[in-house]
Amino acid sequence: MPQAYRPLFAHAGFRRLLPALAASDLGDGMSVVAVAWLAIEIAPPGQSGLLLGAALAAYALPGAAGALLFGRWLRRLPAGRLLAADSRIRAVLLGCVPLAWATGVLHPALYVALLAGSSVLHAWGNAGRYSLLAEMLPPDQRLAANALVSSSTSASIVIGPALAGFLAAVVSPAWLIGVDALSFALLAVQVGRLPGAAGKAATAAPVDADRSAAGLRLLRKQPELLGVLALTWFFNFLYGPAEVALPLHVTEDLHAGAGLLGLYWALFGAGAVLGGLAAGALRRFPLWPVTLGIVAGWGLALVPFGLGASAAVTLACFTLGGLIYGPFTALSYTLFQERTPAAWLTTVLAARSAALLTAGPVGTALGGPLIALMGPRQVLAASGVATVVLAVAGTGVWAWSRQRTASRLVSARSPE
């Protein structure tokens, strides 16, 4: 085991939390295939693309609304309780999907509604996850912990989709969503057993309007945080259409089944695991060059889809895309943890999650009409080209900002 990870496993709370997080990640990894495949199965004729986009958007977008609507009450809760509350809601509502399917009442509208309800606290649950890590561990261990947790998510994309693709040929994908619900039930139980998770945290104090305004001012004083947030928003937005297009590319262009879709995501996850673990083993990165390189690399990995490349070639590109993307999440969260005061961390991370939750689902919802207009293969390629353009534009802004800062420093040091 790399030296950077060894201290984490000497921490009893982290040792208890990691397996529960991994279980919920595995459930979500299976849902990458199951949610999309079930939408295709129950969609009315000729509407599979629209329902697929709506289902994937519903699985995430309401979390942004939840971050705004419930902030007055949820800001008062410590990180552990936020994570447990999100897990309980997901367990109950996702668990209703297989029950509705088994009883024959899973109408597309009900399916979208259950997915939407399950994600309503997602921003707060995600903020609670990384705030809990920041509370449990000293600052010099946070990058390694973030990398390990984000690599757990990536590893679930290796195992989950491949397992779901295999099982979808035997059982309905509705039952796989039920397994996801069970994994969140286990996470809720385990978080509740952590010592102090329900009561201690700087974030447990009430947050009034003045403190909220101060939190916004804090973000405005951190242009680096705002820059990373803006870049990540557009990155996720441009990824959204690709998430809708890939399942339809498999079924319509390649005439294959859920097994191949699972293989795409499994190979992507394998690459992301390696990339994420490499990030955690290193102490420092030049933030902007690495981040912009990740964005450009992912975009280039999608371009071969539009060139009519074979499945073998695009599978290799998807694997490389995962390897390039791997460090992105750990780098982003570590920056926010380092630059945000502890008393504000949950609130700031919830605002970050809320902002980002509007990106992918909006892009996903746009994916359905784009596929109807262009076709899945062309949408994948267009998403890649637009992502490369985003990286080029971000590089220009970053270079201009550095030049402007350097000019100010030279002016400040020059004698009058």
Side-chain angles (χ1 to χ4, degrees):
M1 181 181 297
Q3 181 63 36
Y5 294 109
R6 293 177 186 174
L8 299 176
F9 293 94
H11 192 286
F14 184 82
R15 287 202 312 270
R16 295 175 184 174
L17 181 62
L18 184 61
L21 292 175
S24 67
D25 287 338
L26 177 60
D28 271 347
M30 295 176 67
S31 289
V32 167
V33 171
V35 168
W37 213 254
L38 184 57
I40 293 173
E41 285 190 357
I42 67 173
Q47 299 184 24
S48 57
L50 294 176
L51 180 59
L52 179 56
L56 293 176
Y59 198 45
L61 187 57
L68 299 174
L69 295 176
F70 305 124
R72 178 180 179 182
W73 301 277
L74 296 183
R75 289 191 187 100
R76 303 171 183 268
L77 299 180
R81 290 184 64 184
L82 289 173
L83 180 57
D86 177 47
S87 300
R88 292 188 190 105
I89 288 179
R90 284 181 168 264
V92 172
L93 295 182
L94 291 179
C96 290
V97 171
L99 295 178
W101 180 87
T103 55
V105 297
L106 189 61
H107 187 273
L110 175 61
Y111 182 49
V112 171
L114 289 173
L115 293 176
S118 73
S119 69
V120 73
L121 292 186
H122 181 64
W124 290 101
N126 200 49
R129 171 186 292 218
Y130 284 93
S131 294
L132 190 57
L133 292 177
E135 292 169 10
M136 294 169 59
L137 300 168
D140 62 346
Q141 296 179 17
R142 289 175 184 170
L143 176 59
N146 293 337
L148 195 58
V149 171
S150 64
S151 294
S152 168
T153 303
S154 300
S156 72
I157 300 178
V158 178
I159 303 171
L163 183 60
F166 171 76
L167 293 177
V170 182
V171 299
S172 168
W175 296 115
L176 305 183
I177 296 175
V179 173
D180 193 13
L182 179 60
S183 72
F184 278 105
L186 294 174
L187 176 59
V189 170
Q190 187 63 11
V191 170
R193 296 174 60 189
L194 290 176
K200 68 158 194 161
T203 55
V207 179
D208 55 25
D210 292 337
R211 286 171 56 84
S212 297
L216 294 175
R217 288 195 296 271
L218 174 66
L219 279 177
R220 286 198 294 268
K221 293 178 182 178
Q222 295 284 352
E224 202 170 27
L225 293 183
L226 291 177
V228 170
L229 185 59
L231 179 69
T232 307
W233 193 95
F234 284 105
F235 188 23
N236 290 357
F237 168 74
L238 294 174
Y239 166 79
E243 188 176 11
V244 180
L246 183 61
L248 295 176
H249 170 65
V250 169
T251 57
E252 296 180 8
D253 296 332
L254 302 179
H255 307 290
L260 181 59
L261 177 61
L263 183 59
Y264 271 105
W265 287 117
L267 292 176
F268 171 86
V273 169
L274 295 176
L277 290 176
L282 301 175
R283 293 296 182 186
R284 293 290 175 188
F285 286 89
L287 174 69
W288 279 104
V290 171
T291 302
L292 292 167
I294 289 172
V295 174
W298 169 251
L300 290 172
L302 292 179
V303 172
F305 282 92
L307 301 178
S310 66
V313 172
T314 54
L315 282 168
C317 291
F318 228 59
T319 307
L320 180 61
L323 180 66
I324 294 169
Y325 175 78
F328 190 87
T329 302
L331 285 173
S332 176
Y333 274 109
T334 302
L335 177 65
F336 273 81
Q337 289 169 339
E338 289 180 350
R339 304 294 175 86
T340 306
W344 296 99
L345 187 56
T346 298
T347 301
V348 169
L349 288 181
R352 175 193 181 277
S353 295
L356 296 183
L357 281 173
T358 64
V362 170
T364 298
L366 183 64
L370 286 177
I371 290 170
L373 180 65
M374 303 169 57
R377 190 192 302 272
Q378 289 73 22
V379 168
L380 283 164
S383 174
V385 171
T387 303
V388 173
V389 171
L390 171 65
V392 172
T395 301
V397 172
W398 173 66
W400 173 80
S401 177
R402 282 173 58 89
Q403 184 178 11
R404 186 179 180 185
T405 301
S407 299
R408 287 178 176 177
L409 290 175
V410 170
S411 300
R413 291 173 183 174
S414 300
E416 295 182 1

